[in-house]
């Protein structure tokens, strides 16, 4: 089997598991608190770090299960080193981005601040209800940048797993 085929199979497994882990496995508590820091009123960095860590552990387990299934069923030639490196870089970068202030910083330094706040009350053209109140939506710039960042590192992880 070619390295390109291994990369493709691994990427698909990680991509599917990422979606499941980010949206089904992650608890509401983790989603609501993983970005808390000392600047969040009434919250602490410790609580945010714990919520984010628990989310990334569940996410990484989900990816590990999906990856193991694909490796076993397709008899993919992967190494323990590749899997540890791939899942490790994915977990570390996922944790970094999900602390929220870090991804907001990256958006700022790359000139994406307006896009980051798209769909939120901070954006002048945020969605509103018929009564003129903010209408929450999943279609935010922050969500799109978050997922795009994660997809980038899913690709890096799949490449490491296929190549090492």
């Amino acid at each position: 089997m070619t390295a390109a085929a291994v990369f493709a199979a691994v990427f698909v497994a990680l991509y599917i598991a990422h979606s499941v882990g980010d949206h089904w496995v992650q608890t509401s508590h983790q989603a609501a608190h993983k970005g808390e820091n000392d600047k969040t009123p009434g919250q602490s960095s410790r609580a945010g770090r714990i919520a984010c860590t628990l989310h990334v552990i569940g996410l990484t387990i989900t990816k590990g299960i999906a990856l193991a299934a694909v490796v076993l069923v397709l008899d993919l030639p992967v190494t323990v080193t590749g899997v540890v490196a791939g899942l490790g870089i994915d977990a570390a970068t996922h944790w970094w981005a999900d602390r929220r202030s870090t991804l907001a910083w990256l958006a700022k330094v790359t000139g994406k601040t307006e896009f980051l706040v798209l769909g939120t009350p901070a954006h002048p053209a945020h969605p509103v209800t018929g009564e003129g109140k903010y209408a929450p939506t999943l279609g935010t710039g922050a969500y799109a940048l978050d997922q795009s960042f994660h997809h980038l590192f899913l690709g890096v992880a799949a490449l490491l797993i296929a190549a090492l």
Side-chain angles (χ1 to χ4, degrees):
M1 180 172 288
T2 68
V6 174
F7 169 80
V10 168
F11 181 80
V12 169
L14 294 179
Y15 186 86
I16 292 167
H18 170 84
S19 186
V20 171
D22 240 10
H23 302 106
W24 287 94
V25 175
Q26 178 175 212
T27 68
S28 294
H29 176 82
Q30 291 164 354
H33 299 282
K34 65 187 177 183
E36 290 176 354
N37 57 53
D38 291 332
K39 295 177 184 172
T40 306
Q43 303 301 326
S44 72
S45 290
R46 184 173 187 273
R49 287 191 306 269
I50 290 170
C52 195
T53 299
L54 292 174
H55 161 54
V56 171
I57 289 170
L59 181 70
T60 304
I61 289 170
T62 303
K63 290 176 182 175
I65 291 168
L67 182 59
V70 168
V71 166
L72 292 172
V73 170
L74 300 179
D75 193 27
L76 298 180
V78 300
T79 66
V80 172
T81 301
V83 170
V84 169
L87 291 180
I89 194 72
D90 178 68
T93 59
H94 196 102
W95 191 92
W96 182 88
D98 275 14
R99 291 295 288 138
R100 296 198 178 122
S101 62
T102 49
L103 201 60
W105 169 83
L106 184 58
K108 181 179 179 181
V109 301
T110 59
K112 297 290 183 192
T113 303
E114 184 178 356
F115 185 71
L116 179 76
V117 299
L118 183 67
T120 71
H123 194 276
H126 63 77
V128 295
T129 64
E131 294 81 35
K133 296 180 182 174
Y134 171 64
T137 177
L138 270 180
T140 65
Y143 180 77
L145 290 174
D146 172 81
Q147 291 301 299
S148 177
F149 183 87
H150 295 325
H151 296 161
L152 169 66
F153 282 96
L154 289 176
V156 171
L159 189 59
L160 288 170
I161 292 168
L164 296 181

